[in-house]
Every structure is written in structure tokens, then in C-alpha cells.
Amino acid sequence: PGMLPEIVPAGSIAGPLTRDEAARLGLEAGIPVVIAGGDAAVAAFGAGATDPAVPLLLLSTGCQAPNPP
């Protein structure tokens, strides 16, 4: 216990962006940092593959077919 962060739903606000990180990223300090989903799920959504009938193949260090034909 205490070694890992609390598990919260995607879309939850983790907290404000710190001044140091904002400067490093070129963003405004204090904006909300939001918890997102996993990279494959977010990529599939971004690619428009929200219908199981739409095939999608993700190629990276692993190969994934979240909506196989």
C-alpha cells in the first residue's frame, strides 16, 4: 500500500499542472491534468474505430487487433 497511485476512472482530474512542468512543456501552470485511458484504447478511439464492425490494426512494439474482422 502507498507504493502505487490510487486507481481512478478515466476523465478524473489528477490535479493542477505544476509551475515547473508547465514551464518545461510550454503550457499554463494550474491547468487540470486529466487521467486518460490506455494507449491502444485511446488510439482506437482517435482512429474512429468505435464500432466493433470497423477493423483496426495497431502496430507498435506489440501488434494489436482490437476490432478483428
Side-chain angles (χ1 to χ4, degrees):
M3 293 180 64
L4 298 174
E6 177 185 355
I7 297 173
V8 297
S12 298
I13 296 176
L17 186 63
T18 65
R19 189 175 308 128
D20 289 343
E21 289 305 310
R24 188 176 73 81
L25 296 169
L27 297 171
E28 183 180 334
I31 62 173
V33 175
V34 179
I35 302 298
D39 59 348
V42 172
F45 183 77
T50 56
D51 181 343
V54 176
L56 174 68
L57 177 63
L58 300 173
L59 299 175
S60 60
T61 52
C63 181
Q64 303 171 40
N67 292 345

